[in-house]
Amino acid sequence: MTVGFRVLPRTRKVGGDVVERFRSLPVANVSDGMSRMTAGGSSLRPMHGGGVLAGPAVTVKSRPGDNLMVHKALDLAVPGDVVVVDAGGDLTNAIIGELMIAYAKKKGVAGIVIYGAVRDAASIRAGSFPVFAAGVTHRGPYKDGPGEINVPIAIDGMVIAPGDLILGDDDGLLCVPFDQCDRVYQAAKAKTDAEQLQMAKIQAGTNDRSWVDAALKRLNCEILE
């Protein structure tokens, strides 16, 4: 097959049970469960009106400004999939708009991530279909390729393999590697449970703040009374 112009099969993906377990966890806590070493970049923001993104990745590597392979990926996607497009972060041309989103919704796709630009921003913002992108432009895409489907991609250093778990909320986007989901879930769930307990103590006025002065003392901070 020609490197740069190929469509590959996806050989594995996270199951629906895994997706549902993660759906209720804040992306920030999942990030903490991955030692805060993974991120999709602060430029990727939710463009929709609100709602969680969660599902296995169908990956697309596209020439900046071109969406031919994105169309093919939408044809291949099955209900629950998240189409994740590395379009180089270029904002010159929009990769998707409301027509492609309508098609994705009709197919049962769980969401779309564009490391690039979108258009029809008002329509996207008025809906709840999850769309994450790096920016907005009115200029439309080309449809000539090249591009690749179901190959490893990277967004701001975050590597995404086909079938990995994609999560997104108002704090941003995150990929959990396929073979790390169980371990990351346990850490993120423990973090969430601890935060809920801490919030209850804050509301009750019993939150322990002694760690602040302990940390300052350890760092030899001088505090004048």
Side-chain angles (χ1 to χ4, degrees):
M1 301 182 77
T2 303
V3 175
F5 225 137
R6 56 185 178 168
V7 178
L8 302 178
R10 185 173 56 180
T11 58
R12 87 288 192 270
K13 67 175 183 177
V14 294
D17 58 330
V18 175
V19 174
E20 290 308 311
R21 280 195 298 163
F22 274 92
R23 188 183 298 278
S24 63
L25 297 177
V27 168
N29 288 355
V30 179
S31 177
D32 285 352
M34 299 175 71
S35 300
R36 304 168 184 168
M37 291 291 290
T38 301
S42 58
S43 65
L44 276 177
R45 303 303 307 153
M47 299 291 172
H48 55 293
V52 174
L53 170 66
V58 173
T59 61
V60 183
K61 187 172 181 61
S62 173
R63 177 171 69 96
D66 192 286
N67 74 357
L68 176 60
M69 284 300 190
V70 183
H71 278 280
K72 181 60 177 176
L74 288 176
D75 288 342
L76 294 174
V78 299
D81 280 344
V82 177
V83 175
V84 186
V85 183
D86 173 13
D90 181 78
L91 304 181
T92 306
N93 298 83
I95 300 298
I96 64 167
E98 63 178 338
L99 293 178
M100 293 179 73
I101 290 172
Y103 177 54
K105 289 171 63 177
K106 183 67 174 178
K107 290 205 66 180
V109 171
I112 300 176
V113 177
I114 305 291
Y115 187 42
V118 299
R119 67 177 180 177
D120 303 322
S123 173
I124 297 172
R125 187 167 55 248
S128 60
F129 181 79
V131 177
F132 284 73
V136 176
T137 180
H138 55 80
R139 295 178 59 175
Y142 301 101
K143 293 177 172 59
D144 306 301
E148 298 182 315
I149 296 175
N150 285 328
V151 297
I153 61 175
I155 298 177
D156 272 4
M158 181 177 72
V159 177
I160 304 169
D164 284 350
L165 176 64
I166 302 298
L167 299 173
D169 63 17
D170 286 343
D171 284 337
L173 190 82
L174 185 64
C175 171
V176 183
F178 175 85
D179 57 0
Q180 296 181 20
C181 285
D182 287 342
R183 184 163 58 251
V184 172
Y185 174 79
Q186 296 301 327
K189 181 65 165 59
K191 172 74 171 179
T192 301
D193 291 346
E195 286 191 349
Q196 291 174 346
L197 178 60
Q198 185 177 3
M199 181 63 75
K201 290 181 178 180
I202 289 173
Q203 298 301 328
T206 59
N207 191 39
D208 182 9
R209 302 290 297 170
S210 62
W211 68 269
V212 178
D213 285 339
L216 293 174
K217 182 178 180 180
R218 175 174 55 82
L219 295 168
N220 295 318
C221 177
E222 184 178 2
I223 301 176
L224 300 180
E225 299 293 343

